[in-house]
Amino acid sequence: MSSDARADGRVCAVAGQSQRQMGAWAAEYPGLFKADAFDPVLHSTLALAMAFSGPWLDAAGLRMANRATLWSFGLDWIMDYAAGSRAEVDGVLARLGPVADGGPAAPGDDLARFLADIRVELAAMPAFAELGGVWREELDLVLEGMALEWRWKDEGHRPGFTEYLANADNLGFSFVFATHWIAQGGGGDVAQVRAASWAVQRVIRLLNDLGTVERDRKWGDLNALLLDVEQAEVEARVPVLVAEAEELLAPLPSEYAQYMQRQMAFCSGFYGVTDFWGAH
């Protein structure tokens, strides 16, 4: 019996459990996940990404990463596609800030309600005392990054490649990782862990762009390949960024270094075939 297949079977079983959890969470916040793009395939691929990144974890160990990931996709949908004005975008930021600080969500606001519920869970965890501020800062970076990209598109601004990559926070990887980090009990040098997660985020930003350029062209999204660089230049930049990330990952606790390394590897294979979103 193949040990590799046995290990893969376990990972897929955990992903299946996580997918069912995601379906239940989507039903719990129906106002956030009503678009057709939030289909069972999205839940499945997100669950697989988390399970293969931390194959030593069960569904309970991946719960907070999965919740933060699903919430981030809901936020991304609102900021990228549903928001029709700068006032709406600014309104999202204004609504979520107080909730992230522990305030209540307004009735009927499923985006804020889901975030509030995530925060309640995290705040009860021992590592939140040290890393709650990091989580809050990472949320601000995501929100500000998404709002900046919205303004770029609204104004018809085409950022240069360096400017675009500097806004990789809009991807949300480091926010999700901060959530997972707290749930796993923290550990490691805070500055080193954050620097490594930002480096990994930049890698995944470009892997995402390489795999989604046609969909981004169709949906009107920004993408590095639709700016001022050729595909070959972006492809050449990826291994350079991977090397930078690997250097920063080396001193971290092994479970976090391996988790982020496997995230990069998973995305490299995944985006070579498809991406997470379903039909618009």
Side-chain angles (χ1 to χ4, degrees), residues 38-207:
F38 295 102
D39 60 8
V41 176
L42 177 67
H43 300 158
S44 175
T45 51
L46 291 178
L48 284 165
M50 297 301 107
F52 274 100
S53 296
W56 54 89
L57 296 168
D58 58 15
L62 292 166
R63 172 185 169 85
M64 296 310 299
N66 284 328
R67 282 174 71 76
T69 297
L70 185 61
W71 180 83
S72 295
F73 269 69
L75 172 68
D76 185 52
W77 182 264
I78 288 173
M79 297 288 274
D80 264 5
Y81 309 112
S85 69
R86 185 170 299 193
E88 289 182 60
V89 171
D90 292 343
V92 171
L93 273 61
R95 283 158 37 207
L96 294 181
V99 170
D101 290 330
D109 186 350
D110 281 356
L111 177 68
R113 188 163 63 90
F114 195 0
L115 180 66
D117 290 344
I118 290 171
R119 189 194 185 283
V120 166
E121 287 193 63
L122 287 177
M125 297 175 178
F128 192 81
E130 178 187 12
L131 298 176
V134 170
W135 180 83
R136 184 67 177 83
E137 289 173 8
E138 291 293 349
L139 176 62
D140 278 344
L141 289 172
V142 175
L143 294 173
E144 291 162 6
M146 288 187 177
L148 177 59
E149 182 166 304
W150 194 96
R151 291 194 297 272
W152 282 344
K153 291 189 290 185
D154 183 56
E155 296 165 359
H157 175 64
R158 291 173 60 82
F161 179 67
T162 300
E163 183 183 14
Y164 173 79
L165 190 58
N167 194 44
D169 291 308
N170 76 325
L171 186 72
F173 170 83
S174 292
F175 167 70
V176 172
F177 179 77
T179 306
H180 179 66
W181 189 14
I182 292 169
Q184 293 302 302
D189 180 88
V190 172
Q192 288 182 343
V193 173
R194 295 189 76 184
S197 106
W198 294 333
V200 169
Q201 184 168 250
R202 289 190 289 271
V203 172
I204 297 175
R205 172 74 280 168
L206 292 190
L207 291 173

Side-chain angles (χ1 to χ4, degrees), residues 13-46:
V14 169
Q17 292 172 332
S18 296
Q19 180 184 352
R20 291 192 175 99
Q21 289 178 334
M22 286 193 185
W25 300 333
E28 189 176 350
Y29 308 98
L32 181 56
F33 299 112
K34 59 188 177 183
D36 290 342
F38 295 102
D39 60 8
V41 176
L42 177 67
H43 300 158
S44 175
T45 51
L46 291 178

Side-chain angles (χ1 to χ4, degrees), residues 247-261:
E247 184 176 353
L248 290 167
L249 289 168
L252 303 192
S254 61
E255 65 269 28
Y256 299 138
Q258 290 178 38
Y259 179 89
M260 287 193 269
Q261 287 166 338

